[in-house]
Amino acid sequence: KSEDRLPSRAGIVVATYSMLRDIDIRTKVYLRNMQIQEWAGHEFNGPMIFDESQCMRNAAASDDYANGYSEVSQQGLAGINLQDILPNARVVYTSATGATDVHNLGYATRLGLWGPSTPFEKRADFIKTFEAGDIGDLEQLTLSLKASGLYVARSISYDGVEVVHLP
């Protein structure tokens, strides 16, 4: 239960995105995140792996709902909050979904796409700039991230796969 203390610091914590978005309405605190922070400790510098990280997309909502963007994602906000409260964690985002929309990168606070020493002061500035561009701009961004070792994209090949039809 989200109000219970995790029993030990030894081991691995696995949580679903829907678990992370469990929020206390009165305090606006993500209960699971506080539970994880208490378990990990404030100086935690171990891995925090967000598998299927595209589940946090729309962490920064667009005002332009007419273009099909949805409201802000509570899962995305919870994921950002977890990254914020464990600032020394080593974050890995894994996703089979490429960066085809700038809103799908709003959760990726650890990639250094906005903030000090970047061209974009805030996430909103980053998103607004790439909204004004096209998919080619995002391709250039991912190429830069790949060149710096921050982004890896793989393709699955069926080369050598044999399909057997059973009777």
Side-chain angles (χ1 to χ4, degrees):
K1 296 181 180 179
S2 60
E3 63 273 1
D4 291 347
R5 185 182 177 109
L6 294 175
S8 168
R9 263 199 90 191
I12 298 170
V13 172
V14 177
T16 65
Y17 290 109
S18 62
M19 290 171 74
L20 293 182
R21 70 176 184 231
D22 187 12
I23 192 166
D24 182 324
I25 304 284
R26 294 170 290 128
T27 62
K28 307 290 188 218
V29 170
Y30 291 99
L31 299 171
R32 293 285 183 190
N33 289 358
M34 291 298 105
Q35 186 183 41
I36 292 169
Q37 181 188 38
E38 182 180 306
W39 174 82
H42 294 287
E43 300 302 316
F44 177 75
N45 67 354
M48 181 186 310
I49 302 171
F50 290 100
D51 191 25
E52 300 293 340
S53 59
Q54 75 275 5
C55 293
M56 295 188 292
R57 68 184 170 275
N58 295 327
S62 170
D63 293 331
D64 190 3
Y65 300 119
N67 283 338
Y69 296 117
S70 65
E71 289 187 53
V72 68
S73 161
Q74 290 302 314
Q75 289 179 173
L77 291 177
I80 290 171
N81 175 259
L82 187 58
Q83 294 172 72
D84 289 347
I85 64 174
L86 295 172
N88 299 321
R90 299 172 188 176
V91 176
V92 175
Y93 309 106
T94 66
S95 176
T97 306
T100 57
D101 186 315
V102 69
H103 291 271
N104 293 348
L105 293 173
Y107 63 83
T109 62
R110 299 291 179 94
L111 289 180
L113 300 174
W114 55 83
S117 303
T118 72
F120 309 104
E121 184 179 340
K122 299 178 293 191
R123 178 179 43 228
D125 300 330
F126 169 80
I127 289 174
K128 185 176 181 179
T129 299
F130 280 90
E131 277 181 328
D134 61 19
I135 192 70
D137 296 331
L138 280 175
E139 288 175 4
Q140 288 299 312
L141 172 67
T142 56
L143 287 173
S144 296
L145 290 171
K146 283 179 184 182
S148 64
L150 292 172
Y151 185 87
V152 177
R154 301 278 190 250
S155 296
I156 297 175
S157 170
Y158 292 105
D159 186 36
V161 172
E162 184 179 326
V163 177
V164 178
H165 296 281
L166 299 174

